[in-house]
Amino acid sequence: MIDISESVMQFLLAFIVVVPLIGAVAALLPAPPGLKGKSPDQAVLRHGVTVTGVILIAAIVLALGFDHGHPSKMQATTDIQWIPALNVHIHLGIDGISLPLLVLTALLTFLCALYSYFKMPAGPSPKAFVALLLVLESGTLATFAVLDLVLFFLAFEMVLIPMYFLIARWGGDQRQAAAWKFILYTLLGSVVMLLGLLLVGLKSGTFDMVALATDNGRGLTTSVQVIAVLAIGIGLAVKTPMFPLHSWLPDAHTAAPTVGSVLLAGVLLKMGTYGFVRIVLPIAPHGMHTFAPYLAAFAVAGIIYGSLACLALAKRGNKGDLKRLIAYSSVGHMGFVLLGISSMTPTGVNGALFANIAHGLITGLLFFLVGALKDRYGTADLDTLAGATGAALYGRAPRLGGLLAFAAVASLGLPGLAGFWGEMLAMFGAFDPAAGLSRPAYLTFVAIAAFGTLLTAAYLLVVVRRVCMGGKPAEEPRLADIQGYEFAAWSPLVALTVLAGLWPAVLLGLTDPAVQKLLAGGKS
């Protein structure tokens, strides 16, 4: 780790949040003559790679300069008064909870920009595409960096418009309907969430998330906390997405371009679960305690529902779409995250945060791979991918088939890969929930979740068997195997999936002290 002064750290965090917005404006301007290259389109795509690359480097430097000896302490903090009448501040800062999500966002956005440089999705001008990608990055990074409830809401909403246009303008079949469904669901959830955030801020006299977490709900009556958790929780649950508020997700993923799906699954869903950990757990603990068993019940319902939906899609003759299947798998995986959070224990919350990062890496990789399959076959229909002879990707594009099998076994939680630790810790946390929560109820939830892991393994192995296995059919030519740009975009996700699986202490060492402090009411 490197020694960086606090003022430089403050600058880096502000730089990471603001520069993508400046880059988005620059993307819409004409390229200077010397930078046009072969065409203006190529120049603007190169601009996207450059800006997201600079942001990724800044995020890595920020992570290296982070004081890993005190991950529970808010670092790189900036606190400037913004709206005095409402006591709203431009308050930025990171700790062990937000830092991994910040780096994950910067990494995935850079990989998406790099992939798009070589494989731009069909649609209108690349200028608008790059600008929307950068606005999306800025909003997501801001969500994980801000420490004011009003600012959190603004950042949370900022990502909706660019994602709407990415789906509606560069998506596939049914893209308009999917984009409308996405925006309506998330906007309606956000309106309810705003009322909850305002209730907390006005009743406590501050919107400062650090002060509210330190107060640990002492300034709010139990009834106010219950109402606030219900309102804020609905908004966050839509974004997560929690069963039964998930129905916008499969449509959005199926219609979205490849990079849209990667960012939607890898980063945007994490904003909902991050909100539960950063806002709901520490600020309204009594309200959370009231709703925790219900949250756990919906979480395990989502695990089973997502798995059964995937099994149905994977079945031969059902015309299942592989992108849609992975979208439904996200409902199940995020169910484990919510189960860990609902336990209100350090073990469960650490498991949830670990599962967040693992899901971002593995599902991001899966959506990249499905996008590559769709480019080669012209469809993501499972029956078509499997073919009449029953699956031949190993024979037609062996590296691509091997990588798809790797991503599938990582997603089902194979020990030694990132997917294992988060789900296991979430279930450990639920096995012995916080004081006052019904242990028999949570033991039931753990049993249901454990059954869900078996269903997850079943549908992913069915997909691998159908799409990958078998020899190369004589009448079908070989497919293009992994290209250089695909290798560059995917290999960091593979490496980090293995690293996090073999060395989970890197991530848990960051999150655990911060979670302990959060659950203890701001006391380390």
Side-chain angles (χ1 to χ4, degrees):
M1 301 306 150
I2 54 178
D3 188 25
I4 301 178
S5 70
E6 181 65 14
S7 57
V8 174
M9 291 283 281
Q10 289 171 348
F11 170 77
L12 277 173
L13 186 57
F15 178 89
I16 286 166
V17 172
V18 173
V19 165
L21 280 180
I22 298 169
V25 173
L28 297 172
L29 301 174
L35 297 176
K36 278 186 181 174
K38 292 177 187 171
S39 72
D41 285 357
Q42 189 193 43
V44 77
L45 290 168
R46 190 167 60 240
H47 168 78
V49 176
T50 306
V51 174
T52 53
V54 168
I55 296 301
L56 176 59
I57 291 166
I60 291 169
V61 173
L62 188 73
L64 292 173
F66 187 80
D67 181 0
H68 290 254
H70 301 92
S72 62
K73 177 186 158 202
M74 275 297 167
Q75 300 178 34
T77 52
T78 302
D79 193 352
I80 303 164
Q81 195 170 61
W82 185 36
I83 307 173
L86 292 174
N87 197 20
V88 175
H89 288 230
I90 296 175
H91 191 183
L92 304 176
I94 49 164
D95 63 358
I97 293 170
S98 49
L99 180 64
L101 288 163
L102 206 73
V103 176
L104 176 71
T105 302
L107 173 67
L108 283 176
T109 315
F110 169 69
L111 297 180
C112 285
L114 183 66
Y115 187 83
S116 301
Y117 179 76
F118 294 97
K119 191 72 186 176
M120 172 69 197
S125 125
K127 277 193 169 193
F129 178 82
V130 170
L132 290 167
L133 198 68
L134 291 171
V135 172
L136 186 71
E137 179 179 35
S138 179
T140 317
L141 290 168
T143 304
F144 300 133
V146 298
L147 297 171
D148 184 280
L149 291 179
V150 174
L151 234 58
F152 176 84
F153 177 77
L154 294 176
F156 199 84
E157 293 304 284
M158 185 175 156
V159 302
L160 299 185
I161 302 303
M163 184 50 77
Y164 167 81
F165 281 111
L166 285 174
I167 297 170
R169 304 298 298 277
W170 287 271
D173 298 337
Q174 307 293 319
R175 59 181 184 265
Q176 291 291 346
W180 272 111
K181 200 169 184 180
F182 163 75
I183 200 87
L184 287 174
Y185 260 82
T186 45
L187 273 178
L188 286 170
S190 298
V191 168
V192 183
M193 185 176 81
L194 177 61
L195 296 174
L197 296 174
L198 290 174
L199 177 67
V200 168
L202 296 174
K203 287 289 183 183
S204 61
T206 180
F207 289 99
D208 188 283
M209 285 151 70
V210 177
L212 285 164
T214 307
D215 190 52
N216 204 219
R218 286 183 285 272
L220 300 170
T221 64
T222 303
S223 58
V224 167
Q225 287 191 37
V226 168
I227 296 166
V229 169
L230 182 62
I232 297 168
I234 287 171
L236 296 173
V238 170
K239 195 65 143 267
T240 299
M242 182 184 81
F243 173 86
L245 302 173
H246 68 282
S247 61
W248 61 269
L249 183 74
D251 291 342
H253 270 311
T254 308
T258 298
V259 294
S261 291
V262 170
L263 291 174
L264 187 56
V267 179
L268 264 67
L269 304 190
K270 313 300 170 280
M271 292 163 63
T273 49
Y274 172 77
F276 274 109
V277 174
R278 175 67 76 203
I279 297 171
V280 178
L281 268 176
I283 292 175
H286 296 303
M288 182 64 187
H289 199 280
T290 302
F291 284 109
Y294 302 103
L295 182 64
F298 283 123
V300 295
I303 292 169
I304 300 299
Y305 171 82
S307 301
L308 291 175
C310 290
L311 273 172
L313 288 168
K315 195 175 176 185
R316 189 184 303 277
N318 276 8
K319 293 285 180 190
D321 185 288
L322 190 50
K323 277 188 90 173
R324 197 172 189 84
L325 184 144
I326 295 166
Y328 272 111
S329 80
S330 290
V331 176
H333 288 307
M334 298 315 283
F336 282 100
V337 177
L338 290 172
L339 179 63
I341 292 168
S342 76
S343 73
M344 298 182 71
T345 61
T347 306
V349 176
N350 276 308
L353 292 169
F354 199 102
N356 253 351
I357 301 296
H359 179 265
L361 295 171
I362 296 165
T363 309
L365 177 60
L366 276 167
F367 275 118
F368 268 135
L369 291 167
V370 178
L373 283 177
K374 197 169 182 178
D375 290 338
R376 287 158 172 78
Y377 281 96
T379 179
D381 177 67
L382 264 169
D383 290 339
T384 307
L385 294 179
T389 57
L393 194 57
Y394 284 158
R396 301 182 68 192
R399 292 188 186 89
L400 190 60
L403 199 51
L404 182 63
F406 167 83
V409 296
S411 186
L412 65 82
L414 188 76
L417 297 174
F420 171 73
W421 295 105
E423 293 182 5
M424 187 192 71
L425 288 170
M427 287 196 283
F428 272 2
F431 184 78
D432 188 15
L437 293 174
S438 167
R439 182 119 196 264
Y442 271 83
L443 290 176
T444 307
F445 297 146
V446 171
I448 296 169
F451 179 62
T453 62
L454 298 176
L455 293 177
T456 303
Y459 72 73
L460 285 166
L461 292 174
V462 167
V463 167
V464 171
R465 179 174 59 78
R466 293 195 65 205
V467 178
C468 297
M469 293 183 179
K472 179 170 73 72
E475 74 279 3
E476 293 188 35
R478 286 181 76 95
L479 292 167
D481 214 331
I482 295 175
Q483 307 291 300
Y485 71 92
E486 291 173 331
F487 178 79
W490 303 342
S491 53
L493 300 179
V494 175
L496 288 170
T497 299
V498 175
L499 179 68
L502 296 177
W503 199 11
V506 174
L507 199 51
L508 292 172
L510 277 174
T511 61
D512 186 49
V515 168
Q516 299 272 7
K517 181 177 179 179
L518 210 66
L519 292 175
K523 295 184 279 290
S524 299

